[in-house]
């Protein structure tokens, strides 16, 4: 029997929502002790919102405000209010294309997890799969990390490698990375919910990929 109270999470995403769907399926299939209280997007038409509604989850479009890469002050307050009202204790970023800063990050300090489509610290920022192709690496992958003040710099919880093929286009490489993401992210979130991961500064312990 599961001995943990479910971890009350919000999932934040700006796009297709394949990581959200993988998490939601893993919760149902594997009984992860995770309770998705809320799905929020900064993009009104993002498929992640439709996926959430189809699955019976509360889904909110919250406008990001005036800036292109972060939330403005008014938006940040609205996000915080929605998260508080839903009793959220942990944030899961799943393709949320804005940098979290200020009060929102402080409130959830050490309790925000992100997935990034490269083997960090290589290729932080946007279009990481394109950066990998342009650089000419032979192996890339995905990284699950805690979010800190920097851009893709927080403590690394888990990584999965993906080979780069000579025939890869940006789309085929990203798709193979996303297959890895959909396996890795739910299992790390499950380990977080079971309090199996310890964090000491940059060093983290407790997640075994089992591969
Ligand atoms: C994923 O590949 C994720 O790693 C990436 O956005 C995609 C979202 O896909 N995130 C970033 O690049 C963050 N810097 P999804 O909406 O299908 O889950």
């Amino acid at each position: 029997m599961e001995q943990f109270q479910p971890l009350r999470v919000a999932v934040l995403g700006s796009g297709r929502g394949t990581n959200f769907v993988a998490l939601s399926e893993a919760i149902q299939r594997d009984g992860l002790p995770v309770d998705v209280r809320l799905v929020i997007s900064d993009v009104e038409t993002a498929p992640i919102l439709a996926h959430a509604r189809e699955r019976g989850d509360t889904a909110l479009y919250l406008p990001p405000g005036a800036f292109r890469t972060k939330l403005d002050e008014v938006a940040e307050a609205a996000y915080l209010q929605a998260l508080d009202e839903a009793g959220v204790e942990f944030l899961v970023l799943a393709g949320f294309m804005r940098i979290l800063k200020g009060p929102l990050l402080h409130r959830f300090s050490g309790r925000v997890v992100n997935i990034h489509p490269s083997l960090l610290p290589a290729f932080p920022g946007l279009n990481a799969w394109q950066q990998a192709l342009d650089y000419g690496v032979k192996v890339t992958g995905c990284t699950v990390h805690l979010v800190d003040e920097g851009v893709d710099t927080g403590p690394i919880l888990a990584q999965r490698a993906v080979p780069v093929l000579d025939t890869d286009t940006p789309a085929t490489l990203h798709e193979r990375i996303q297959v890895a993401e959909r396996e890795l992210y739910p299992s790390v979130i499950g380990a977080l919910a079971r309090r199996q991961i310890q964090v000491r500064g940059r060093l983290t312990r407790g997640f075994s990929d089992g591969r």
Side-chain angles (χ1 to χ4, degrees):
M1 209 213 288
E2 196 61 74
Q3 75 217 75
F4 296 100
Q5 289 293 331
L7 186 66
R8 299 187 307 273
V9 308
V11 180
L12 274 60
S14 308
R16 289 168 61 205
T18 62
N19 278 289
F20 160 71
V21 171
L23 173 63
S24 183
E25 287 176 352
I27 292 168
Q28 285 195 327
R29 187 187 57 235
D30 306 332
L32 301 187
V34 175
D35 178 8
V36 176
R37 302 294 278 239
L38 193 57
V39 174
I40 306 179
S41 184
D42 58 327
V43 178
E44 194 167 13
T45 55
I48 189 172
L49 291 176
H51 284 304
R53 290 181 187 124
E54 270 162 30
R55 307 183 78 80
D57 290 321
T58 304
L60 286 182
Y61 160 61
L62 291 180
F67 303 124
R68 207 170 46 83
T69 58
K70 61 177 186 173
L71 302 174
D72 73 14
E73 222 173 283
V74 175
E76 201 164 70
Y79 276 66
L80 266 175
Q81 188 180 344
L83 295 166
D84 280 348
E85 282 173 9
V88 169
E89 55 184 333
F90 206 99
L91 304 185
V92 172
L93 306 188
F96 190 64
M97 301 313 280
R98 288 175 189 270
I99 299 160
L100 288 192
K101 293 174 178 262
L104 187 52
L105 188 57
H106 286 135
R107 171 77 68 83
F108 287 92
S109 177
R111 292 180 291 128
V112 186
V113 68
N114 182 44
I115 185 140
H116 182 78
S118 74
L119 294 176
L120 291 171
F123 313 130
L126 294 178
N127 300 329
W129 57 92
Q130 179 73 60
Q131 295 185 54
L133 280 176
D134 291 345
Y135 196 94
V137 294
K138 301 298 184 192
V139 178
T140 184
C142 57
T143 300
V144 179
H145 66 95
L146 293 177
V147 173
D148 66 8
E149 299 279 349
V151 177
D152 301 324
T153 52
I156 289 173
L157 303 181
Q159 295 184 302
R160 177 76 65 87
V162 173
V164 180
L165 308 179
D166 291 346
T167 51
D168 264 329
T169 63
T172 60
L173 181 57
H174 189 207
E175 182 48 38
R176 272 203 330 290
I177 292 170
Q178 286 216 288
V179 171
E181 291 183 343
R182 292 195 285 269
E183 290 180 12
L184 187 65
Y185 209 14
S187 50
V188 177
I189 293 165
L192 284 164
R194 295 188 182 97
R195 281 65 170 173
Q196 287 166 338
I197 298 183
Q198 293 103 45
V199 181
R200 290 197 191 84
R202 289 209 61 79
L203 302 181
T204 67
R205 293 280 179 280
F207 179 79
S208 161
D209 194 0
R211 281 162 60 108

